[in-house]
Amino acid sequence: RVKEIKEDLKEGDFSNLITLKEYADMHGVADSTVRCKIRNGNLKATKKGRDWFIDKDEPYIDNRFKK
């Protein structure tokens, strides 16, 4: 299913998009963390059907303070 959606997205200028899961794995965080950032407006994403897609060059910013 995701493969079909990615093929549809490639027809536009969306060829640089990856799934939410791929983005989370790439940055070493949980899927739910990425969903929360999207919901709060801290991460730009595109929704196609029920799936979220994020530009693979979109930076992941962790605003937590580390001691």
Side-chain angles (χ1 to χ4, degrees), residues 9-21:
L9 291 173
K10 283 183 182 175
E11 293 173 3
D13 61 343
F14 302 108
S15 60
N16 209 28
L17 297 180
I18 58 175
T19 64
L20 182 144
K21 172 114 177 80

Side-chain angles (χ1 to χ4, degrees), residues 23 27 37 42-44 54-61:
Y23 185 85
H27 293 284
K37 284 190 167 288
N42 299 326
L43 189 62
K44 289 187 252 176
I54 305 165
D55 188 319
K56 65 181 172 186
D57 297 328
E58 181 73 23
Y60 179 81
I61 300 170

Side-chain angles (χ1 to χ4, degrees), residues 31-55:
D31 300 359
S32 58
T33 302
V34 176
R35 272 190 218 94
C36 186
K37 284 190 167 288
I38 293 169
R39 185 176 54 243
N40 292 335
N42 299 326
L43 189 62
K44 289 187 252 176
T46 302
K47 191 166 187 179
K48 173 82 172 173
R50 65 178 189 154
D51 300 311
W52 284 101
F53 292 88
I54 305 165
D55 188 319

